[in-house]
Amino acid sequence: MRDMGKIPKVFEACQKSLREISCDTSQKRNEYMCSSALPAFDFDAIKEWYAETYLPGLSMTPCSNDALCLNEKHMTFIEFKNGKIDGPENNKIIFKLYDSLLLLLDEKLDVSWYQEDFKPNISYTREHMDYILVYNKEKFDKKNLTPQTRRGKERQLQDSSHRTLMYKTLRNLGKKSLILFGLDRFEGYLFHRVYTMDQVEFEKYLVDCGVNF
């Protein structure tokens, strides 16, 4: 890990474990979608600071992803969705993705203190940033897919690089290799890789990555 002595105060104040960031407080009791102690930045809290500091009086604050993970050469946005994802909720996920990226590329949130080669443009994020959506497997309705998921599935099955997944996909739409919720459109455009995973897949991904993004 890079020396964190240069970390801006807002990032320092918003550093938490992924477990803490994944907590859903909307339920009667707190529910965690991840058990990892991997340090990350609470991007919702960073967004709130940004809005209070630079957007006073704004009638509606921007949306934001839950977590931002950094290492020396790569960045990852993570969004945790514990509830059911229907069409309108699917759209909110996409709004969060756009708003979060625009905030990150603002010079006021410059992350070159950590990644020296950082450039605030999508050419950089296309090469050096991933996006992960972690969803609740028990609340994913395979029989009633969102319109965004249906269109995304069609795109991926038409793509020659995904054709070999067709039979597996028809048997098990929730497989990690298929990008759900229409988020496939952002891979190779805004982000290097895009993943949609349930909680178990995400925990395995962290282990496979050696908890190092």
Side-chain angles (χ1 to χ4, degrees):
M1 294 289 290
R2 187 180 296 276
D3 179 11
M4 300 296 280
K6 298 180 180 179
I7 182 171
K9 290 182 179 180
V10 60
F11 280 87
E12 185 176 17
C14 295
Q15 191 168 27
K16 300 178 180 178
S17 69
L18 275 181
R19 181 180 186 275
E20 291 175 293
I21 296 174
S22 77
C23 182
D24 178 5
T25 60
S26 67
Q27 308 301 313
K28 291 182 179 179
R29 61 183 179 83
N30 291 349
E31 295 183 5
Y32 296 87
M33 296 192 69
C34 174
S35 61
S36 175
L38 180 72
F41 298 103
D42 181 341
F43 203 71
D44 282 328
I46 291 174
K47 179 276 303 284
E48 292 297 330
W49 166 84
Y50 178 95
E52 291 173 4
T53 305
Y54 299 109
L55 304 173
L58 194 69
S59 59
M60 183 177 294
T61 59
C63 303
S64 52
N65 295 319
D66 291 318
L68 172 66
C69 296
L70 302 176
N71 74 11
E72 287 81 354
K73 296 181 179 180
H74 210 74
M75 303 185 291
T76 306
F77 266 139
I78 303 174
E79 174 68 8
F80 295 99
K81 294 303 299 182
N82 188 39
K84 181 179 178 180
I85 301 175
D86 56 14
E89 191 63 33
N90 202 148
N91 283 334
K92 290 180 182 179
I93 291 169
I94 293 172
F95 290 144
K96 286 186 175 186
L97 182 155
Y98 276 123
D99 278 1
S100 296
L101 190 58
L102 287 172
L103 287 173
L104 182 68
L105 299 183
D106 189 309
E107 62 182 9
K108 296 176 178 61
L109 282 183
D110 181 13
V111 295
S112 61
W113 56 272
Y114 197 89
Q115 295 180 247
E116 295 177 354
D117 67 339
F118 176 75
K119 295 178 178 60
N121 56 57
I122 63 172
S123 293
Y124 183 86
T125 61
R126 191 183 301 131
E127 284 289 321
H128 302 283
M129 189 167 201
D130 293 341
Y131 174 89
I132 301 173
L133 174 71
V134 183
Y135 63 92
N136 188 321
K137 183 178 181 179
E138 295 180 357
K139 297 178 184 178
F140 177 60
D141 189 350
K142 295 181 181 180
K143 295 182 179 179
N144 296 288
L145 303 177
T146 66
Q148 299 90 331
T149 295
R150 291 198 299 269
R151 290 193 293 268
K153 175 187 171 184
E154 292 172 1
R155 282 193 299 268
Q156 292 171 81
L157 295 183
Q158 289 170 1
D159 187 332
S160 60
S161 65
H162 288 275
R163 285 175 186 165
T164 57
L165 301 175
M166 181 177 294
Y167 298 109
K168 291 181 180 179
T169 300
L170 292 175
R171 290 197 303 270
N172 182 8
L173 185 59
K175 293 189 74 65
K176 175 184 174 183
S177 52
L178 188 74
I179 303 171
L180 304 174
F181 311 113
L183 300 176
D184 61 289
R185 59 188 289 207
F186 300 109
E187 184 171 273
Y189 163 41
L190 298 180
F191 302 104
H192 180 62
R193 294 295 304 272
V194 171
Y195 303 90
T196 53
M197 311 178 190
D198 62 40
Q199 307 99 306
V200 175
E201 290 171 333
F202 183 60
E203 296 281 4
K204 183 177 184 302
Y205 169 83
L206 293 177
V207 172
D208 291 345
C209 288
V211 293
N212 181 10
F213 288 90

